[in-house]
Amino acid sequence: MMRKKRKRAEPPGPGPAPPPSPEPTRPAWTGMGCRAAPSCAANASASANASANAAARAEPRRRPRLCPPPLAPPPPPLLLLLLLLSLGLLHAGDCQQPAQCRIQKCTTDFVSLTSHLNSAIDGFDSEFCKALRAYAGCTQRTSKACRGNLVYHSAVLGISDLMSQRNCSKDGPTSSTNPEVTHDPCNYHSHAGAREHRGGDQNPLNYLFCGLFGDPHLRTFKDHFQTCKVEGAWPLIDNNYLSVQVTNVPVVPGSSATATNKITIIFKAHRECTDQKVYQAVTDDLPAAFVDGSTSGGDGDAKSLRIVERESGRYVEMHARYIGTTVFVRQLGRYLTLAIRMPEDLAMSYEESQDLQLCVNGCPLSERIDDGQGQVSAILGHTLPRTPLAQAWPGYTLETANAHCHEKMPVKDIYFQSCVFDLLTTGDANFTVAAHSALEDVEALHPRKERWHIFPSSGHRAPRAGSHLSVGLGLTCSILIVFL
């Protein structure tokens, strides 16, 4: 038998297919809206391997999606820009503006028109509103060129807010950036500020305060506080522009303490601004007019001198624009009080023969009834006389006088002390109101807030806690000396 030939075995097949390549992993999530990118070197190496080893069936790596650059910080708030504009600190180099936008010129002009203004001076609101209207007009003229300019729009908003705060009308006179045009010979505030702005006057504009009230108590231009006798007629001020004379009479029979019952004020003629005007007030006759019956001086609508009655028969104000001076006159009880603010250069403009001025040099030593340093409560070198206490303080004791004055004046400064002194020497409660009103006049007219209060311990500092006993004993000595 023949053997069957075996079929030659077929060659083996290619075998099982290799497992599929795993899907390449994606970059990890970073939480920033994109996936972390591998380094640049890794990217380059992967690209080269992908092209050279195509048989390895490796997928080329995807190019990573790069993160966008971080957003720019937000612009500064409008309030900061308004503050910079109001202080004049925003300069042309601080932000890039188109050459044709003139908002910086408008702002510079506004600063130059208002930098010399003082809010404590009569006429401030009028001048400030004029400058604001000029500022608004300048911004309107450059509005097209400044469209889209943040500084411009901030300035427009700031002008609107300031006009609302100052109650400025949109229609009215405007200030000129040319000082020669704005010069008004009958407005001391205006032409003195313009002169200072041009650099013609190296001394800054300064105002002085003087006040008289009570038995009487005097506060001089130098902020010296004195209690004086000065019975009869005495000049408070006598310079080339203004004269003020007071007449004092005894308050209590047998006492050297006096109080003011007559005030005469003379506003001297001043070129084209005003003729000479005389004002006179006496007890129970506090007129709202000068002795010639007029209530103002000067021509035109803006009077260079005028009287304003605040309370009929009790309180009048006089405003002299041409010399930058304000005068308050009050009647409280049977007696008068006076407060004056005047520019220093005018107050000190007088001849040698005019040196007897209580506001300038104080009371003569022979007329003083304090300790020589303005402290009626700290007279030294005197012993307590054997005088009945009822004669010294009719109607009040030291404790009740302190309590009564403290109701009106919680701060125990020299005005509080004067109130106690007046109550103990006169028993007249109207002197409490006089001391309180005198302090209010200081706050209204004195240009330096840090000097409003004068404390008896040193003239500037508050009294020490242990000084109340010495103050009380000193007051007792002071009052009894008045009756000697």
Side-chain angles (χ1 to χ4, degrees), residues 219 442-443 446-453:
R219 181 167 181 159
V442 169
E443 294 174 355
H446 199 293
R448 301 184 63 176
K449 184 176 181 179
E450 69 273 13
R451 295 187 179 181
W452 287 356
H453 295 280

Side-chain angles (χ1 to χ4, degrees), residues 27 35-51 60-66:
R35 302 184 184 276
S39 65
C40 294
N43 285 341
S45 176
S47 299
N49 292 336
S51 58
R61 297 192 180 185
R62 297 181 181 178
R63 174 169 294 182
R65 181 162 54 93
L66 299 180

